[in-house]
Amino acid sequence: CQPPFLDKHCVDKEEQAKERGEEEAPAVSATGIVWDKDYFTSIQRKDDGTPAGPWDVTYNGVDVVVTEIKEVLPECIQVSFINQEGTALVGRIPYSKIEKWEDKA
């Protein structure tokens, strides 16, 4: 079962919002980090070029473990993640819906 919070169509929604002049503001962490395209581009890969991760993420009130950032888009990121049931999935997370993004301990 796929979590209801994944936004598979964020790119279409981004384009429609831009046409209406309604871009969403990126989310900001408690420590002042702006979760946007620049931030996720900077953490997507390790110094040696391999994929970074994993991270503990809360998005729309649901906790998941993001194992890899697949693609960084203007308004969202495409990620591989493990849901609360332990199922590996791929989905898109709009920046504005991120509530927590931390390195997994």
Side-chain angles (χ1 to χ4, degrees):
C1 175
Q2 184 164 332
F5 57 87
L6 281 181
D7 193 342
K8 290 182 176 181
H9 308 290
C10 80
V11 174
D12 293 336
K13 289 181 182 179
E14 290 167 20
E15 291 171 6
Q16 292 169 1
K18 284 180 184 176
E19 288 173 5
R20 293 188 309 265
E22 302 172 353
E23 291 188 46
E24 288 187 37
V28 179
S29 75
T31 58
I33 295 171
V34 177
W35 289 315
D36 62 6
K37 183 178 180 178
D38 291 339
Y39 175 73
F40 287 103
T41 298
S42 75
I43 68 165
Q44 184 177 17
R45 303 232 169 246
K46 298 177 187 175
D47 291 339
D48 65 5
T50 60
W55 299 274
D56 285 322
V57 176
T58 302
Y59 165 77
N60 267 1
V62 178
D63 296 322
V64 296
V65 175
V66 171
T67 55
E68 182 181 352
I69 298 171
K70 296 281 197 182
E71 185 176 5
V72 179
L73 301 166
E75 299 294 324
C76 65
I77 50 175
Q78 182 173 1
V79 298
S80 295
F81 69 97
I82 300 170
N83 67 10
Q84 292 172 329
E85 290 80 35
T87 304
L89 300 168
V90 174
R92 291 183 174 166
I93 302 175
Y95 304 131
S96 62
K97 303 298 181 188
I98 298 170
E99 299 164 21
K100 179 183 86 170
W101 190 284
E102 298 174 348
D103 288 338
K104 185 156 179 64

